Each structure stands twice: as C-alpha cells, then as structure tokens.
Amino acid sequence: MKTSLLLKFIFPYLKKYKNIYFLLSIFVIVGIFYQTGMAWFFQNMTDTIFSNQQSNLVFFLFIGIFLIVVIMITSFFNVYYMAKTTNLIKRDIRMDLFKHLLQQPMSYISSTHSGSLQSQIHQDTEQLDGVLGHNIAQLIILPFSGSVALIYLSFINVPLTLITLFLGPLILIASKLIGVAIRTNGEVIQENTAKMSKQLQESFEGHTLLKTFRLEKQLTQKYKQINEELISNQIREGKFSGFLQSVSSGVGYGAQILIFAIGTFFVANDQITIGDLLAFIILSQSLITPFSNIGQLWTNLQRSLSAVSRIYTFLLLPKHLLLDESNVEQQPVTITFNKVSFSYSPNKSIIQDINLTIMPNQRIAIIGESGAGKSTLMKLVLGLYLPTKGSIHLGLGDKGLEELKGINPYVSYVPQDAFLFDDTLYENIRYGKLDATVNEINYAAKQVSATSFINQLDGDYQFQVGERGNRLSGGQRQRITLARAFIGKRPIVVFDEATSALDVQTEGTILKELLQQNQEQTMIMITHRLSTAMYCDKIILMANGSIIAEGKHDELLTTSDHYKDLYKKYIVANAQSYS
Ligand SMILES: Nc1ncnc2c1ncn2[C@@H]1O[C@H](COP(=O)(O)OP(=O)(O)OP(=O)(O)O)[C@@H](O)[C@H]1O
C-alpha cells in the first residue's frame, strides 16, 4: 500500500491532538537550534580563553547556565509530550479497531482466527511508535538540525564542511537497501507472532481435549516449530540492524577523525581557530547524524507502516449494518422468506429457494438431520448473514413491510453453545436487557428454574461464572442463556438446541413455563427432540437446505412419510428407554 495513503489515514488521528503537537513543536524547534547554540558557546569560550580575555568568562558562565536550563526544560517536555500524544493516539486507534471488530459481519468472524486477530490488534497498535513517536519527530527534526549546522559551519570554513558532508550519503545508500529487507522481514515476524498466539489460545481453550487425548507432545512440537521460525526471523532482523549500525558508526567516527586531522592542519595554518575546530567536532555529529539515524528511523518507519497498512486494511472492511435500536418497539412481527437461497462459499448452496411465513406468537419447531441447514436458516432470521438470493421481510403492522438488511433487532437468540461472559451471573442475565431491575432479573431466573441453583452458589447472583461460564454445568449455563434471552421480551425468540444439555423432565418444565408466561412472543426452536416439537403450532422439517414438510404434528403424520419415519423411531427409542 502506498506510503502517502497510509500517512493520509493516520493524519486525522494526529490532527485531534494539534494543540499538544503545537507545544511539542516549540520544544522541537528549540532543540534544533540547541546543538548549534552549544557549538557557538564552546567555540567562542575557547577562543576567548585563548585570546586572554578572561573578563568575558563571567558572561560565558551565565550563558552556560542558561543553556543547561534550556536543555533540561526542552528534554522534559519533548519526552513528556511525545509520550502523551503517542499513547493517546494508540488509545484512539485501539478503540476504533475494537468498535470495528464488533461490527464485523459473521462471514469475517467465522473465517478469521481469534488468536491471530488479537495479536494483530495489539501488536500492530504497539508498533505505531515508528510513525507517531520519537521516530517520526526525529525524522522531521534531523534534516532541519543538519541544515542549521551546515549553514553555521559553512560560515566558518567551506572545504571542511564539504568533507564532513561527503560521508553522509554512504550511510543513506546502505540504509535504503537494508530498510526494504527489514520491512519484509517485519511482516514475516508479525505472521509468526500471530500463529503463536493462535496456538496458545487453542491450547488453553482445548485443554481438556489436549489432556484426554495426550496431545502435549504434538502441540509442543508444533509450538517449537513456530517459535524457532520466529526466533530465526528476529535474529535476521538483528543482523540487518547490526549491519546498518556498523556502517553508521564507521562513518560517524571516521568523520570525526577526518575532521580532527584536517582541522588541526587548518589551525596550524591559521585558517581556523581552535574554537572553530571545536565547533566543527561538535557540529559534525549534527551533519552526520541525519544520514546515519535516518537509516534506522526510516526502517522503523517502514516497519510501522506495515502495521499501519494492516490496521488500515482492517478498518476498510465493510461493517455489518446495525439497525437503529431506538426505533424498535415491542410489537407483533411477521417474518416472510421469499425464495431465499444462501451459501457461505460460492460453490456450495446451503439454503435453497425457501418460502416461509412465521406469524406473530407462533411456536415453531425446526427439525431435520444434522447439517440440514437449520442453524443457518436461523442465522438468516437473526440477520447475521444476508440471503444470497431472494429476500426476507419483516411485517411490522402499521409500519408496513421492511426488508431485513442487517441485524434483526426484534429477535433474542439462545445459541447452541450457551456462551457466558466472564462476569457475574447477574451481569450475564442483564446483558439481555441493560436497564433490567433486580426484580426483573429474579423473575427471569425463576422462569428458567435457575433460582434454586443460583441460591446455592457463593454470592448468589454475584457468582463469577469464569471464562465462557466454565464454573457452571452445561445445563446451568443453558438456563442462564435462556434467562438472558427472555428478559428483553423481544417479539421473537430463537432457540438453537438451547435445552439440549437439560434432562427431558427439566426441559419440559422450563418450556412449559416459558410458553405459558410469554404468550405474546414468537418462539422458534431448533431441536432434535420430537417431544419438544410435537407441542408446537408448526413443525418445519428440513433436509439438504430445503423445507421438505411443514405443518402440525398430526397433519405431518398423514402428509409426510419422512416425518412418520422420524416419529416411529422416536416411539421405538422411547419404548426402549422405558423397558
Ligand atoms: N460458517 C460457516 N462457513 C461455512 N460453512 C458452514 C458454516 N456454518 C455451517 N456451515 C455448513 O452449512 C451446513 C449447514 O450447517 P447448519 O449448522 O446450518 O446445520 P444444522 O442443520 O443446524 O446442523 P446441526 O443439527 O448439526 O446443528 C453444514 O454443511 C455446515 O458445514
């Protein structure tokens, strides 16, 4: 990606702190002239001493104290303001990345590994120093301080100035060549680190499997391989930087020796004074440093720019459309599928040509074999994915029909995996309705038969559920996710096998309670249990992404052979379990 484009992207972040940058630039300008001021000071003080004008020494003493005070103040504010702006901008970028991440469509989330994404967001933000902090300031300052030194020295002696200047381009050529290698290598290091976080995260999340299948050796081997790759690339980077440093030091010290040798000759011939030579030795660094440091600063900038490029590319990803929740009212909502087809990838159709109407307050069961497309159909209802063909409309009574083009705000969802946030039970239920009162939370827990187990936990509702809720049993987690879904009283609730971890009796009690107490809600349940489906207003039977039968239990027994078979199997299985 073009450097100018990346700098244009970062500029608005800098602009926000223009006042601090203005103050910073004052201290930076003082810094630019400071080195020349010091050279002037030593040059004139030396010449004064050598010309026996000791009476002027008091004047130089005051100038010396003044210079010390100036450098102390300048150094403090330079470092402080630079750190302040850099960290403030990093904070803003991190926030933008996080907000953007939350608005990513499911297609992005499901195709990206969370470990790599985390490492990318953290590391790339940390690497921004190269374009924000001292690095960029130095890149701007050095040419100026070099020019000021050049003008000052050329007033003293032009040939000696040219000799000093002559060595600089050598470093520039070396750093240009090495800079490209460092940037490419930096990108590989970033990939290695992302792979490592990915593996760390998987080892942590899958630790039960890892232990039971005795996978320690395999995973250690895999981790070792990535670690070795990372270290070899980091060492290679060290080699590149070392080479650059070596050229810079050689040229820097070489310049000083050369100036000293030739300068002494000029002093001996009365072409310059000892003070002038001293000024040359001090300022030669200001002339050489831009060349030597610009190499390192440039490579840092390149490394940072590749981080900026990844951040920019991520922020350019289109967001998932979020409907304005403030307009959402509790009202009956009809869902209509018009010839809807959907595929996750271009070659494989998952949902095919579905026509379906779900009326307000209906109880719908979606059944079918594993992989038939039941969850995908519900993800379309939730608006997590948009149809690839056809359309879904929401009938909103007086407000008419509205095509679903983003997240559906009228639906609550109880997912298959009963995910809980690492927080208290209370907070986990409250996420379903942020302004819920204590009574509402109690009531929601009661509806899903959760109060008895909550009362036995340490701290009741203040119990910390742990990562993904792992301090609770599967059935307890499911009850909390049910409470979270019902507390918001949205017009439609989708259950994706939301009671599969409960025994049939508890499931029956909870569903009976929920169905009775929430008559004014549409409930759509994906289930493998016919015992649940049988009591619904409508059963939708799916196979290979299509609806192959729909109707009430009694109707389906006469209209669908497929359903009849399922029912027979259910009767047999039930009879066996009681025999
Ligand atoms: N994020 C995804 N990316 C690509 N393919 C997917 C994705 N999610 C599901 N699929 C595929 O879509 C098909 C339907 O999956 P879906 O989860 O909708 O089935 P299901 O009927 O709910 O199955 P189950 O009863 O096992 O939960 C499967 O073949 C699955 O591999």
Side-chain angles (χ1 to χ4, degrees), residues 143-186:
F144 283 112
S145 54
S147 308
V148 173
L150 177 70
I151 294 168
Y152 188 82
L153 289 181
S154 55
F155 273 110
I156 302 175
N157 188 288
V158 175
L160 204 51
T161 310
L162 290 178
I163 291 167
T164 317
L165 203 59
F166 162 76
L167 294 164
L170 275 183
I171 310 174
L172 257 193
I173 296 166
S175 52
K176 179 88 187 143
L177 293 175
I178 297 168
V180 177
I182 290 189
R183 183 169 174 171
T184 319
N185 199 53

Side-chain angles (χ1 to χ4, degrees), residues 17-72:
Y17 300 105
K18 58 180 185 300
N19 292 343
I20 310 180
Y21 272 113
F22 175 71
L23 288 173
L24 183 64
S25 50
I26 293 176
F27 293 104
V28 164
I29 291 168
V30 173
I32 289 175
F33 288 99
Y34 188 79
Q35 196 70 351
T36 315
M38 283 300 274
W40 174 89
F41 173 74
F42 282 113
Q43 176 193 10
N44 286 285
M45 192 174 71
T46 314
D47 286 345
T48 304
I49 292 169
F50 276 97
S51 60
N52 287 328
Q53 292 174 313
Q54 263 77 347
S55 57
N56 284 345
L57 277 181
V58 181
F59 166 72
F60 282 108
L61 181 70
F62 280 111
I63 297 281
I65 293 170
F66 172 73
L67 285 172
I68 290 168
V69 173
V70 169
I71 196 64
M72 284 176 75

Side-chain angles (χ1 to χ4, degrees), residues 106-107 110-111 344-345 348 350-351 368-377 379 385 416 496-497 526 528 542:
M106 281 300 287
S107 48
S110 61
S111 61
Y344 289 106
S345 54
K348 195 176 167 213
I350 302 291
I351 295 292
E369 61 197 27
S370 178
K374 305 180 294 293
S375 299
T376 307
L377 190 75
K379 283 175 187 161
Y385 292 97
Q416 226 171 44
D496 192 347
E497 291 179 51
I526 298 177
H528 284 289
M542 289 189 73

Side-chain angles (χ1 to χ4, degrees), residues 60 78 92 103 139 259 326 330 350 363 368 370 372 418 429 446 451 465 512 534:
F60 282 108
N78 254 331
D92 294 349
Q103 292 177 41
L139 264 175
I259 291 165
S326 56
Q330 286 184 15
I350 302 291
R363 272 73 172 117
S370 178
I429 300 178
K446 193 165 157 261
T451 17
V465 301
K512 203 168 142 207
M534 270 156 44

